[in-house]
Amino acid sequence: MKQFFLSSLFGLASFTFAAFTFEAWAASTSTDTPTEPQAQEAPEVLVPNNQVPANQTAEGRNSEGAFWFDRMQTALRELNFSASFVTLHSGGMEAYRWVHGVTTSGDSIEIIAGLNGPENQAIRMNNRVTYFSPVISPYSLHSQTLSSPIPSGLYERFQEIRESYDAVPAGGGRVVDRAAQHIRLVSRSPDRYLYSLWIDRDTGMLLSVVTFSTEGDVLEQVLLTSINVFDEAAPELEQISEHWTAPPEVRPDIQDAEIGDWQFEWLPAGFQRVRQNRLQVALDGPVADHYMYSDGLAKFSVYVSADEDRASAMQYEGITSLYSHDHGQYTATVVGRIPLHIAQRIAASVRAAE
Amino acid sequence: MTERRNETLSAMLDAQEASTESLTDLVRNQESRDTFARYQLVGAVMRGEAQVGQAVDISAAIAAQVAQEPAMLAPKHGRLRRLQMQAWLRPVGQTAVAASVAIIAVLGAQQFMTVEEAVVPASTPSAGHQPVLQTMPVGGVMNPVSFNTMQSSSAQDTSRQRMQLQSFMVDHQFQLQWNLEAPVVEQDAEPENTESQPE
């Protein structure tokens, strides 16, 4: 069957590429590269295992890693660039165009558009993001980052994630035909995904992001396929800056009600609650108390639904995990890019306050 | 007026020139935005690009539609019906994964507004024919996707669970889009006040 053939082909491609990069990850000392051994001036460093607490050496490495991370963050916020990238994951492969610029009037405009299938795109104009898709009317949200395959945590300074991750410089290599610095974001506790970043040594631009499971398997890859950097914002961005009127702003369907008194007996270390509301879950879902947790990079939602609105017990395993734990009078549902067993543990720990 | 706008739309879609004024007008006008969405789809159909169930959006459209019309049980006949069935028979796991990974693709806003006309080809699947959710090993060598219900359940329960799964996945995605600020590292573990609302 044609479709089957195609998907296995994608699977194969993603697998080989994944295995390839993983070797680089697994190498214990590294001046390694994902493509060719083309050693840069990379320092010799040991790969920490993620249980090791920060020590003197780790801090030294961290400052170099933090330097590269912040350099990349600045590039994402300030650079005028036009790029395209592909994502590879278990669901297949997708291609995107990615444009960013700061216009003469000081507007930061970022566009990410899917290149295959129905035309999806998102435009961020400063702190307002508009999503376009053929199936629903365009809508805007107040948000500092555009939701895309590029993890939103990469748009913030390293200090936002330093409680939970070490940034470990891991040598250099050639990516998208550029000399690249490899940085590993290694979680301090063994309960969340790990990330590899490849950063352009010249411009600081992000060239590749690889997400690994706690076992070190590749879950998802983002790889730029072209990148052009300019002194000034592209002319079309200037036009958008002048003429843009964002579609109506929306927000989650928050109910005007007190949130229930739920207690979490266990949460993975380093996650902070960033939001809580009572809302109706999308697509006519149940009314639930929603909590958003973040460690700066990984994010998950906890929904607690009670009584007749109670969700069923279920689980879903993918790069995004979902687990619903039925506590009898209420159900706790955890969704996010965290390992399934962590979602299970969180959901099971939700208690009604006495 | 409307005619004229549609002409402009048509010109844009055919990659002809459109003046700045007419573009601004288009962007400002809700009706023409909706029309634009429909035209885009029409264009895709004419170019032979629109396959039912081809993309996450269409599946999402189905999900939204199902949410609105859970009781459509009587199957109709004919080719359109079969196409819809095929779309519906695809593993939903793929939809959910795609929904969680694919950008923009997101769907979270159906509860605010729906462009019904834009999703006509994929509408009203029959609840009576929903398959049991399949596991989806497609390409996912590293991390096979599985969906388990924890109790033995009837077909009706399964379809309800699947809708809930979609709801939570989509809602979480929407919550991610609404990214107000970086987490406050020094924050207390149990903050009392809720987040400030967007203006």
Side-chain angles (χ1 to χ4, degrees), chain A residues 309-331:
Chain A
D309 265 333
R310 195 155 54 94
S312 324
M314 55 191 172
Q315 74 175 31
Y316 179 91
E317 185 170 18
I319 186 168
T320 295
S321 303
L322 180 146
Y323 185 85
S324 276
H325 190 104
D326 189 346
H327 288 271
Q329 294 302 305
Y330 59 95
T331 299

Side-chain angles (χ1 to χ4, degrees), chain A residues 126-143:
Chain A
N126 300 320
N127 286 341
R128 190 185 257 223
V129 186
T130 303
Y131 294 89
F132 295 90
S133 142
V135 290
I136 52 174
S137 296
Y139 62 96
S140 308
L141 292 101
H142 182 76
S143 178

Side-chain angles (χ1 to χ4, degrees), chain A residues 90 145 220 251 274 303 316, chain B residues 97 101 112 138 171-172 179 195:
Chain A
S90 62
T145 48
E220 185 182 53
R251 61 188 178 93
V274 293
Y303 299 89
Y316 179 91
Chain B
V97 170
V101 202
F112 308 99
V138 184
D171 198 89
H172 174 66
N179 183 22
E195 205 55 64

Side-chain angles (χ1 to χ4, degrees), chain A residues 159-235:
Chain A
Q159 64 176 26
E160 302 292 347
I161 64 168
R162 72 178 314 143
E163 298 287 310
S164 300
Y165 298 89
D166 286 315
V168 183
R174 177 171 162 265
V175 177
V176 207
D177 201 23
R178 319 275 287 203
Q181 172 69 41
H182 181 194
I183 300 293
R184 290 178 186 143
L185 297 178
V186 184
S187 158
R188 297 211 177 156
S189 52
D191 52 17
R192 67 202 78 181
Y193 296 155
L194 312 167
Y195 306 84
S196 244
L197 310 178
W198 294 86
I199 298 164
D200 186 1
R201 286 204 159 128
D202 181 25
T203 61
M205 182 62 190
L206 179 68
L207 300 175
S208 179
V209 188
V210 187
T211 307
F212 297 87
S213 72
T214 47
E215 291 79 33
D217 297 329
V218 172
L219 295 176
E220 185 182 53
Q221 294 195 79
V222 175
L223 176 67
L224 264 69
T225 50
S226 72
I227 166 79
N228 289 295
V229 176
F230 307 99
D231 291 338
E232 291 176 350

Side-chain angles (χ1 to χ4, degrees), chain A residues 44-121:
Chain A
E44 284 271 316
V45 286
L46 287 171
V47 174
N49 86 39
N50 49 4
Q51 274 97 343
V52 174
N55 56 27
Q56 289 301 321
T57 337
E59 270 174 27
R61 291 198 304 261
N62 232 344
S63 68
E64 190 190 341
F67 165 82
W68 281 108
F69 189 98
D70 285 345
R71 185 129 187 249
M72 171 209 65
Q73 188 268 347
T74 307
L76 291 184
R77 289 288 188 190
E78 294 176 7
L79 216 57
N80 298 307
F81 66 82
S82 169
S84 56
F85 65 85
V86 293
T87 64
L88 282 167
H89 50 80
S90 62
M93 192 167 128
E94 285 139 28
Y96 298 91
R97 176 180 299 121
W98 186 17
V99 181
H100 176 260
V102 179
T103 64
T104 46
S105 52
D107 291 321
S108 164
I109 302 177
E110 181 175 10
I111 302 174
I112 296 190
L115 296 178
N116 297 332
E119 293 174 43
N120 287 309
Q121 61 174 305

